[in-house]
Amino acid sequence: MITYSRFDDARACGTEPVFAFLGPLEVRAGGRIHTVGGNRQRTLLAALLVSAGRPLSAEQLYTELWGENPPPTFENSLQAHIYRLRRTLQQAAGTDGRAPELLTRSSGYVLETGGEESDAAAFRRLTGQARARVRHSPAEAHRLFGEALALWRGAPFQDVAQGPMSQSVALALEEEQLCAVEDRLWLEIQLADPVHSIGELKRMRTIHPWRERLTELLMLALYRTGRQAEAVETYNSTRHRLANELGVEPSLKLRERLREILNQAPSLDAATVPA
């Protein structure tokens, strides 16, 4: 699990609530962490957060909260959960803060956060900034990727019984995190001694055996540290597993990387290998 640091530091002195869900769902205000009690309230808040300021109809919230089997009194139950969540947000804001408004519209319900940024929004902003700087400022891009990944405390909505909307967003965020990890590791290979990346690449490859970019990065890091035979064996073990378990061959890009390693291509020694 990646540690969580920057969001606390940036907001610790404010009074406005900040939502964090790259891990357990939390409301942060005035330097304090407020948890949301009750599975239904957490699920309701998660749905409102992932809707990004768009109204959610009562029918959508019924599905998020109860799936295909809502209780007979689901309309009254939803109203009760809305009331409790409003009270929870006001308590988190405190007497000196302005709570996000959970508004009732003709089209449904919407959470107005007053421009406050969730940890997921901060993660996406930072990774976007990092990718814009990869070519011209790789060291700055590496720093921004690290800052973005430091926001993660676990799986998104870790303590929420996720409905369809929050579950789909959680899956998308996990994929974005893996891409950011890969981009950061690639930059580490370019900017520092590749030996420092090998252990992390091996660990990530064990967890995500089908992500060929991790295999490609590990092959490159091994080659640059004078371990050509290990780089080739890494390819061979991946090819064997893909063939035996999925019945497919490695991607063209991975096969091309193998050919470059076997031929000791001069481009592999430069800090300009394409990502």
Side-chain angles (χ1 to χ4, degrees), residues 21-207:
F21 52 86
L22 298 180
L25 178 58
E26 296 174 349
V27 181
R28 299 173 174 225
R32 298 181 61 189
I33 296 174
H34 304 265
T35 57
V36 179
N39 290 331
R40 302 291 184 201
Q41 276 198 74
R42 288 195 296 274
T43 302
L44 173 60
L45 179 55
L48 292 164
L49 287 171
V50 301
S51 69
R54 298 185 303 272
L56 292 180
S57 68
E59 289 74 17
Q60 288 175 301
L61 291 175
Y62 299 154
T63 301
E64 287 293 299
L65 291 169
W66 294 289
E68 299 298 324
N69 299 298
T73 59
F74 57 86
E75 293 181 351
N76 290 336
S77 295
L78 176 59
Q79 291 297 326
H81 289 307
I82 292 287
Y83 170 78
R84 293 189 192 106
L85 183 55
R86 282 180 177 139
R87 185 175 59 185
T88 297
L89 295 175
Q90 184 59 64
Q91 289 172 344
T95 57
D96 298 328
R98 181 174 177 272
E101 294 185 274
L102 207 177
L103 303 174
T104 303
R105 304 293 195 197
S106 58
S107 54
Y109 300 91
V110 62
L111 183 65
E112 296 285 356
T113 61
E116 289 295 326
E117 189 176 49
S118 70
D119 56 353
F123 167 75
R124 285 172 163 163
R125 172 176 55 79
L126 289 165
T127 54
Q129 292 173 354
R131 292 191 174 100
R133 290 165 170 78
V134 165
R135 185 176 296 275
H136 302 294
S137 303
E140 175 68 5
H142 181 268
R143 184 190 66 79
L144 287 166
F145 275 125
E147 194 171 351
L149 290 166
L151 295 172
W152 286 72
R153 299 164 291 119
F157 297 116
Q158 184 174 300
D159 58 344
V160 175
Q162 298 170 20
M165 286 191 302
S166 55
Q167 186 176 55
S168 65
V169 169
L171 290 172
L173 283 166
E174 288 179 333
E175 174 64 22
E176 291 174 36
Q177 184 201 30
L178 282 172
C179 290
V181 168
E182 290 170 342
D183 288 343
R184 187 171 188 264
L185 286 168
W186 179 80
L187 284 167
E188 284 185 359
I189 294 172
Q190 311 308 316
L191 296 170
D193 185 347
V195 72
H196 297 305
S197 305
I198 290 173
E200 179 65 8
L201 282 164
K202 287 184 175 181
R203 185 186 73 84
M204 292 294 297
R205 185 167 167 263
T206 299
I207 300 171

